[in-house]
Amino acid sequence: MVKIGEKAPIFEAVTDSGERISLADFIGKYNIVLYFYPKDDTPGCTTEACAFRDNWDSLKGFDAMVIGVSSDDTNSHKKFKQKYNLPFILVSDPDKKIREMYNAKGFILPARITFVIDKKGVIRHIYNSQMNPGNHVNEALKALKQIKSEEMSKS
């Protein structure tokens, strides 16, 4: 189980655009909001994705990169992203290896869990709530505000 204060596990994955990325590509440049969700275009997952979309300007203000992860294929991600005009990256985890690395498996449904990772690659916040998909962005923003406040007090 990954914990707050630990280095985030590095993974590689294919995005909705078919591009291969690594989490390492973003460390040092961005704070990362990595969120795991059950399935594209379902009510809770749409609520969650649209909440991240609707708070996009605030997230960017905290130098945040948002990456959504589910086991749906890249084609499904592409359609989901286009349908709801999502401005962030969706990655495909068909064999659930990324979920495994982050222990974001869940019981009946795949877990809905958000990790906030700072620019040093350290996990700073974990929010796990299947039933409150719209609150994931609020929790992420709270953590990002804390990170920014700590950065400012050091400068």
Side-chain angles (χ1 to χ4, degrees), residues 11-127:
F11 62 85
E12 287 189 6
V14 178
T15 69
D16 52 89
S17 65
E19 179 187 3
R20 188 152 197 82
I21 62 160
S22 169
L23 189 69
D25 299 339
F26 305 108
I27 292 174
K29 299 176 192 152
Y30 300 100
N31 293 304
I32 301 157
V33 177
L34 178 67
Y35 83 96
F36 292 86
Y37 64 100
K39 189 157 182 51
D40 288 342
D41 214 4
T42 56
C45 298
T46 299
T47 297
E48 184 177 23
C50 290
F52 280 113
R53 177 200 64 203
D54 295 346
N55 286 278
W56 185 243
D57 288 340
S58 298
L59 290 158
K60 284 193 324 190
F62 291 108
D63 295 329
M65 171 65 60
V66 176
I67 303 171
V69 181
S70 84
S71 56
D72 293 304
D73 65 26
T74 53
N75 195 38
S76 174
H77 281 339
K78 190 176 186 175
K79 288 178 188 165
F80 184 48
K81 188 171 176 170
Q82 286 172 340
K83 182 175 181 180
Y84 294 102
N85 197 26
L86 306 177
F88 47 85
I89 298 168
L90 297 177
V91 299
S92 190
D93 184 26
D95 52 11
K96 300 176 178 62
K97 282 198 168 107
I98 305 169
R99 271 191 186 280
E100 192 79 31
M101 292 169 90
Y102 281 82
N103 198 29
K105 294 179 291 226
F107 298 105
I108 297 166
L109 289 175
R112 181 184 313 283
I113 184 166
T114 298
F115 295 86
V116 177
I117 303 162
D118 68 17
K119 290 178 183 173
K120 294 178 185 144
V122 175
I123 296 171
R124 298 293 301 272
H125 187 71
I126 301 171
Y127 180 67

Side-chain angles (χ1 to χ4, degrees), residues 108-150:
I108 297 166
L109 289 175
R112 181 184 313 283
I113 184 166
T114 298
F115 295 86
V116 177
I117 303 162
D118 68 17
K119 290 178 183 173
K120 294 178 185 144
V122 175
I123 296 171
R124 298 293 301 272
H125 187 71
I126 301 171
Y127 180 67
N128 188 347
S129 174
Q130 190 69 266
M131 303 317 290
N132 197 349
N135 198 43
H136 283 256
V137 71
N138 299 328
E139 287 288 322
L141 285 166
K142 240 190 293 184
L144 291 165
K145 282 178 189 154
Q146 179 64 35
I147 292 167
K148 186 167 191 151
S149 147
E150 289 170 15

